[in-house]
């Protein structure tokens, strides 16, 4: 069964350092999402891509976060510099079409900033 | 903005008993509702969705949900709980704006099934 792949699974970084997460969506899925899930809360959308284009980054803290999906396939989410409050689970999800199906989530990257 | 509420932080049930995890929604227009489950240190797994049609939706692992428009609810149910059902459950509503389509999640309900 096809899955959304994310790496690394766990990351510990010091505050003020740069950190990056990678996501490979299910093949053929045009829509890709990055969500952040703080412990004890539901996931919150950071950014949505349709192919290589950003269609919603209204909740992305653009002073320190960036996301790209250059060829419309895999994607990278970067934080620079990391802050203690960035400690969370970062989830990637993909969908085959924009409106008709559910999103499939990867296993996430657990980030701890120390 | 559209939203969902999960009024219970935790639900406890004995194995073999029926379970209900509650969700209410607030939307403008037609609601597109989802349930996901999350096991420790894992991503979210899709359980079921309501887009249109029959108010009783059947999903994975024996779960079902009942859409109630008058009560604006979408409660998750299972006739007979298993210990392995113990996990974190999230209700979500899909919001479509132009070319963007995002899920807005509730705060989650922890289900604890005991022997």
């Amino acid at each position: 069964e096809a899955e959304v792949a994310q790496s690394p699974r766990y990351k510990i970084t010091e505050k003020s350092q740069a950190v990056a997460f990678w996501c490979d969506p299910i093949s053929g899925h045009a829509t890709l999402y990055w969500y952040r899930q703080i412990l004890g809360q539901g996931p919150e959308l950071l950014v949505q891509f349709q192919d290589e284009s950003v269609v919603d980054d209204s909740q992305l803290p653009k002073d320190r976060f960036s996301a790209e999906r250059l060829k419309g396939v895999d994607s990278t989410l970067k934080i620079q510099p990391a802050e203690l409050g960035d400690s969370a689970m970062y989830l990637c999800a993909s969908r085959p079409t924009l409106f008709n199906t559910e999103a499939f989530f990867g296993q996430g990257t657990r980030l701890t900033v120390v | 903005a559209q939203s969902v509420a999960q009024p219970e932080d935790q639900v406890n049930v004995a194995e073999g008993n029926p379970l209900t995890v509650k969700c209410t929604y607030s939307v403008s227009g037609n609601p597109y509702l989802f349930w996901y489950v999350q096991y420790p240190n894992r991503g979210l797994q899709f359980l079921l969705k309501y887009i249109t049609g029959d108010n009783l939706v059947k999903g994975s692992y024996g779960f079902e949900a009942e859409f109630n428009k008058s009560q604006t609810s979408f409660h998750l149910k299972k006739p007979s709980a298993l210990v392995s059902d113990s996990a974190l459950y999230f209700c979500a509503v899909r919001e479509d704006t132009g070319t963007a389509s995002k899920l807005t999640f509730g705060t989650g309900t922890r289900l604890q099934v005991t022997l």
Side-chain angles (χ1 to χ4, degrees), chain B residues 59-104:
Chain B
S60 306
Y61 314 120
F63 283 92
E64 58 189 26
E66 186 172 8
F67 173 71
N68 189 314
K69 188 173 183 178
S70 63
Q71 297 185 6
T72 62
S73 67
F74 188 56
H75 299 334
L76 181 70
K77 300 181 178 183
K78 189 174 182 181
S80 179
L82 298 172
V83 171
S84 57
D85 293 329
S86 298
L88 192 55
Y89 290 80
F90 289 97
C91 181
V93 61
R94 195 183 78 199
E95 182 173 2
D96 301 332
T97 52
T99 57
S101 177
K102 73 175 185 180
L103 288 173
T104 298

Side-chain angles (χ1 to χ4, degrees), chain A residues 13 16-21 34-38 44-47 49 54 56-68 75-91 109 111 113:
Chain A
T13 191
S16 79
Q17 295 298 304
V19 63
F21 316 128
W34 283 101
Y35 281 84
R36 177 170 61 184
Q37 184 180 19
I38 296 171
E44 295 181 325
L45 180 69
L46 290 174
V47 62
F49 289 91
V54 173
D56 185 356
D57 62 356
S58 57
Q59 300 301 310
L60 188 71
K62 299 181 187 64
D63 57 334
R64 298 184 300 107
F65 286 64
S66 64
E68 61 182 16
S75 176
T76 302
L77 178 69
K78 297 179 181 178
I79 308 175
Q80 182 174 17
E83 296 180 353
L84 296 177
D86 297 330
S87 295
M89 175 79 89
Y90 290 83
L91 296 164
T109 295
L111 173 67
V113 182

Side-chain angles (χ1 to χ4, degrees), chain A residues 6 48 83:
Chain A
Q6 289 189 248
Q48 178 190 346
E83 296 180 353

Side-chain angles (χ1 to χ4, degrees), chain B residues 3-7 21-26 33 35 71-75 91 93 106:
Chain B
S3 64
V4 290
Q6 296 181 243
V21 182
K22 296 180 179 178
C23 173
T24 58
Y25 64 87
S26 174
L33 299 162
W35 276 101
Q71 297 185 6
T72 62
S73 67
F74 188 56
H75 299 334
C91 181
V93 61

